[in-house]
């Protein structure tokens, strides 16, 4: 199994999807070993603790240095960004190339890149009038949402959708499904090396 760290900033529903998938035996190559948040009050940290997963908040200016120390301490081999809202520097993403993935709540290349996160993604999709949106899991590189695409899943936009309703549907019908699947696929590939 590949020891995996999940980086979070908010409610942690994607982390919960990983925890639940692991409990169902759907991620045999993934060992959820560490959760790190850049926000102290992130409910995601409570979800990690409830699941018996080490949960840490890093808030200082030396975020990436402190993060690297935790990753080494826990012998982490895969990083999953799950609702993580901090841009990681080029040096960090190059060192972790091929071992860091992210979930984005749209079908990249639509509605992605700088400034597209959280509800803003769904507001933009509704403003453009798309009939289909969805979620994407991709490798992380130095370009926000710019790395190679690993998995995508489409979700229908319904009449009367608000950003909140659409966000929820994209989470339930796409994010929470493809993130565990992608994490398992990448971990299995890395273990197979
Ligand atoms: C949500 O907007 C989700 O679509 C995106 O990150 C935000 C928070 O997700 N992936 P989570 O509930 O903290 O996993």
């Amino acid at each position: 199994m590949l020891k995996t760290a999940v980086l979070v900033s908010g409610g942690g529903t994607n982390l919960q999807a990983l925890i639940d998938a692991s409990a169902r035996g759907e991620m045999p190559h993934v060992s959820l070993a560490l959760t790190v948040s850049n926000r102290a009050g992130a409910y995601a940290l409570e979800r990690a603790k409830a699941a018996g997963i080490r949960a840490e908040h890093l808030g200082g200016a030396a975020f990436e240095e402190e993060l690297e120390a935790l990753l080494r301490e826990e012998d982490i081999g895969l990083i999953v960004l799950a609702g993580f809202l901090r841009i990681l520097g080029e040096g960090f993403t190059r060192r972790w190339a091929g071992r860091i993935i992210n979930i984005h709540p749209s079908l990249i290349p639509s509605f992605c890149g700088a400034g597209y996160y959280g509800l803003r993604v769904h507001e933009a999709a509704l403003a453009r009038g798309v009939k289909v949106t969805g979620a994407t899991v991709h490798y992380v590189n130095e370009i926000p949402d710019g790395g190679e695409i690993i998995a995508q899943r489409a979700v229908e936009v319904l009449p009367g959708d608000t950003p909140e309703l659409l966000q929820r549907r994209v989470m339930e019908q796409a994010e929470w499904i493809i993130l565990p699947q992608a994490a398992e696929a990448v971990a299995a590939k890395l273990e197979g090396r």
Side-chain angles (χ1 to χ4, degrees):
M1 294 176 94
L2 198 56
K3 291 191 74 181
T4 299
V6 184
L7 306 192
V8 296
S9 298
T13 64
N14 280 287
L15 169 65
Q16 193 63 56
L18 292 166
I19 291 167
D20 296 345
S22 183
R24 293 193 299 264
E26 294 168 4
M27 299 198 302
H29 289 85
V30 174
S31 170
L32 297 174
L34 173 66
T35 298
V36 180
S37 174
N38 62 317
R39 293 189 182 166
Y43 186 66
L45 292 175
E46 300 311 313
R47 295 180 189 270
K49 291 172 193 168
I53 299 168
R54 181 178 179 181
E56 302 288 351
H57 161 242
L58 298 179
F63 179 85
E64 290 187 10
E65 290 79 2
E66 291 172 12
L67 175 61
E68 291 270 19
L70 275 178
L71 297 171
R72 272 194 304 277
E73 185 183 329
E74 289 288 348
D75 191 27
I76 298 297
L78 174 64
I79 300 173
V80 178
L81 307 186
F84 183 65
L85 296 179
R86 179 186 171 115
I87 299 299
L88 293 164
E90 184 167 343
F92 186 96
T93 57
R94 286 190 188 285
R95 280 192 298 279
W96 285 89
R99 290 184 172 269
I100 179 168
I101 67 176
N102 179 53
I103 177 86
H104 181 76
S106 76
L107 295 176
I108 289 174
S110 298
F111 313 117
C112 68
Y116 284 102
Y117 58 88
L119 273 179
R120 293 183 179 197
V121 174
H122 306 291
E123 288 164 357
L126 291 171
R128 184 64 184 83
V130 295
K131 304 308 176 188
V132 174
T133 185
T136 302
V137 181
H138 61 92
Y139 285 105
V140 173
N141 63 15
E142 66 283 358
I143 302 161
D145 302 323
E148 176 192 348
I149 290 172
I150 301 166
Q152 293 190 305
R153 189 176 176 98
V155 172
E156 198 179 8
V157 180
L158 299 176
D161 263 346
T162 62
E164 292 77 9
L165 281 173
L166 185 54
Q167 179 180 53
R168 184 77 194 180
R169 189 175 317 114
V170 169
M171 284 176 165
E172 287 175 344
Q173 297 182 11
E175 294 179 48
W176 299 344
I177 295 170
I178 63 173
L179 185 58
Q181 291 174 345
E184 169 58 19
V186 170
K189 190 173 83 171
L190 289 168
E191 291 266 83
R193 277 184 179 171

